[in-house]
Amino acid sequence: MSLPLFVAAVLATVLATAFLYIQYAYSFWKRLGVPFQKPSFPFGNFAASFLSKKSLGEDLRVIYESTTEPVIGMYTIFKPTLLIRDPKLIQHILVKDFQHFINRGFHTNTDVDPLGDNILMQDGDKWRNARTKMSPTFTSGKLKSMFETVVKCGKTLENYLDRLAVSQKEIEVRDVFARFATNAIASIAFGIEIDCLENPDHDFRKYGKKFFDPTLKNILRFNIGILSPTISKLFGLRFADKDIGEFMTETVRKNLKYREESGVVRKDLFQLLMQLRNTGNVQEDGDWSTKTNRDKQMSVEEMTAHAYLIFIGGFESSSTTMSFCAYELARNPEVQQKAYEDIVDTLAKHDGQLTYESLNDMKYLEQCIEETLRVHPPFEAGGRQCTKDYTLPDTNIVIKKGMTVMYSVIGLHYDPKYYTDPTKFIPERHDKAEIAGKNFVEMPKLAFGDGPRNCLGLRLGKMQVKIAIVMLLQTLKFELADQHVGKELKMNPRSSVRAAVSGINLKLKKR
Ligand code: HEM
């Protein structure tokens, strides 16, 4: 056989084998008899998110809305993945049968990327151990201790926006809220008082922003990290850039040295992480001591990884919620007025004092936050990795160990089956009387996830959002900037957290 003929034969064999492999890989769900979305080479069902044309959340929402089946098979590149649509099955996976779905299954290479060794990314026993130890960090007692810190940061925000309201016609509030939330979480998590409102270039803001900026690198890191941990591993994608890791480790080291040498005790998360490092446990409410005779139970790197996750978890999702809440209040003036009256009336009942108790007494405000999280959940999709073979209830579908299952938060939150007029912002749908007797299956809410691996900072997140809204609404009125009037917000397909392409621009009027 001549050389060109030989090369052509080899090429033809390789192409035919590749073709057969792809055909076989893409027939997984058909062979199992499970309804599926037709994939296309090479990205399976996620071409739009791999190419940054849609956010991963939007990609999943389209698949969610394409069918009424309880589950639907998909492919991330060649890997079979299952979208769970039925809330009853989602509840099984997240709550009732959680022992089969403990992992998120994200890739981390902790040798080169120590910040990746955090509770969000950890799996199996390592995660279980960290979660058990960190849960007491967010009790009511501990939150109460952090309340004043957030209010103090809220006062700085109030003064800052008060001034801008006089001097500027329109303000992009997402960035302002992110700077406020960075101040709050830097104080709560690290015990460090900063002012990113006046100094937007502060390192804390710079490195926090860098993690979430919708750059191509970040979107690839995020989408590939979730959709294909194998590729993430292949390309050595990191959880956070090296310079972020170095800055955070240095900050933790310095802070630790200062507190250990000075004996200063602050009622914040850093103190609780020090307890964890020194004693292996977070102590009872009211006990902030860190003294022990034991060897250190946690390295500085581990402490940094957890502190960093609390930091990024604490500012981005909370500030996203604050800005969408302000936007919806501006778009719905009658809702804003009702929220304002709820705040004023509740404060009057509590001697005019904004306290942990009076904040929790603001029932309509709570409904506004719930509705904001329904319409604009910061994380539009969620999922788990199967850790033990599992037969989906009432079906003969077996989910094999290692497979990823996903759910579409915005698919469910915008499904008219569960929420009538889903695009409308109606806080009253979360009224206690309205939801009496309704369970998760009739009214799925997934902004914080669910089950033993739900959001650890749920109550702190809500507290931060409420404090910001209460402090601002008392003196200011939110109005839409001209560019948003009569238009729907267009979401940024490159952002890992729900965000409007235009930002959120509001006019702030003094009351
Ligand atoms: C409005 C604000 C927030 C929202 C909407 C939010 C949302 C979420 C969601 C959807 C998850 C995944 C849950 C799941 O997979 O079931 C999560 C996990 C997590 N969040 Fe939040 N979060 C918020 C604020 C916070 C704050 C303030 C903190 C910390 C101070 C925090 C810390 C965490 C941690 C540590 C995890 C990982 C939990 C684990 O894997 O065990 N979050 N969050």
Side-chain angles (χ1 to χ4, degrees), residues 94 104 119-120 127 131 138 185 269 309-310 313-314 317-318 321 373 378-379 383-384 407 446-450 452-458 460-462 464-465:
L94 296 182
R104 289 218 166 82
I119 184 169
L120 180 87
W127 166 77
R131 177 85 186 200
F138 295 93
I185 205 73
L269 291 176
L309 187 80
I310 287 173
S317 39
S318 308
T321 310
L373 287 165
F379 302 104
R384 295 285 185 268
Y407 52 85
L446 281 161
F448 290 105
D450 205 353
R453 212 167 174 176
N454 73 345
C455 174
L456 189 60
L458 183 158
L460 176 60
K462 271 191 168 179
Q464 280 185 325
V465 175

Side-chain angles (χ1 to χ4, degrees), residues 373-388:
L373 287 165
R374 180 190 71 81
V375 181
H376 302 290
F379 302 104
E380 298 173 327
R384 295 285 185 268
Q385 187 188 48
C386 179
T387 39
K388 236 194 289 175

Side-chain angles (χ1 to χ4, degrees), residues 50 76-77 79 105 107 223-233:
F50 274 112
T76 52
I77 313 218
K79 195 169 154 247
H107 160 71
N223 282 357
I224 295 180
I226 292 180
L227 291 173
S228 183
T230 318
I231 296 187
S232 186
K233 196 170 174 179

Side-chain angles (χ1 to χ4, degrees), residues 145-298:
S145 309
M146 297 167 202
F147 183 85
E148 283 308 325
T149 309
V150 185
V151 170
K152 199 169 155 202
C153 297
K155 290 218 167 91
T156 318
L157 172 71
E158 192 187 341
N159 293 338
Y160 179 77
L161 283 180
D162 233 39
R163 262 188 288 131
L164 285 197
V166 178
S167 64
Q168 275 189 26
K169 279 209 323 231
E170 291 176 3
I171 298 161
E172 202 290 293
V173 293
R174 188 183 158 94
D175 182 53
V176 173
F177 281 131
R179 286 191 266 148
F180 152 71
T182 303
N183 290 350
I185 205 73
S187 185
I188 294 173
F190 293 90
I192 296 175
E193 310 235 339
I194 56 174
D195 188 354
C196 298
L197 287 163
E198 294 299 342
N199 177 11
D201 298 325
H202 193 286
D203 277 349
F204 261 102
R205 175 71 187 132
K206 189 172 98 190
Y207 288 116
K209 195 163 180 276
K210 192 172 179 206
F211 185 84
F212 286 105
D213 262 352
T215 56
L216 190 61
K217 188 174 170 194
N218 276 346
I219 192 69
L220 285 179
R221 188 200 327 258
F222 176 78
N223 282 357
I224 295 180
I226 292 180
L227 291 173
S228 183
T230 318
I231 296 187
S232 186
K233 196 170 174 179
L234 199 68
F235 286 102
L237 296 183
R238 304 168 63 99
F239 175 73
D241 285 341
K242 204 163 167 235
D243 56 341
I244 303 183
E246 285 165 359
F247 166 73
M248 284 294 157
T249 313
E250 193 46 30
T251 306
V252 168
R253 236 182 249 289
K254 272 195 206 148
N255 209 12
L256 200 56
K257 187 166 183 283
Y258 165 70
R259 291 208 189 179
E260 280 176 351
E261 287 180 2
S262 66
V264 161
V265 172
R266 270 191 58 148
K267 295 176 181 176
D268 57 23
L269 291 176
F270 196 82
Q271 195 71 22
L272 300 175
L273 283 174
M274 281 176 68
Q275 277 187 347
L276 264 184
R277 172 171 150 85
N278 289 0
T279 68
N281 289 302
V282 168
Q283 308 302 315
E284 297 282 304
D285 283 1
D287 180 358
W288 297 86
S289 65
T290 55
K291 294 254 164 19
T292 177
N293 296 325
R294 297 179 67 177
D295 290 339
K296 296 286 182 263
Q297 305 291 301
M298 208 189 237

Side-chain angles (χ1 to χ4, degrees), residues 88 90-99 390 441 452:
K88 200 167 84 195
I90 294 175
Q91 207 178 31
H92 270 284
I93 285 166
L94 296 182
V95 188
K96 294 181 182 159
D97 300 319
F98 174 73
Q99 71 276 14
Y390 177 72
V441 174

Side-chain angles (χ1 to χ4, degrees), residues 3 75 85 135 139 193 302 379 436:
L3 188 65
Y75 298 90
R85 289 185 72 263
S135 293
T139 59
E193 310 235 339
E302 273 177 275
F379 302 104

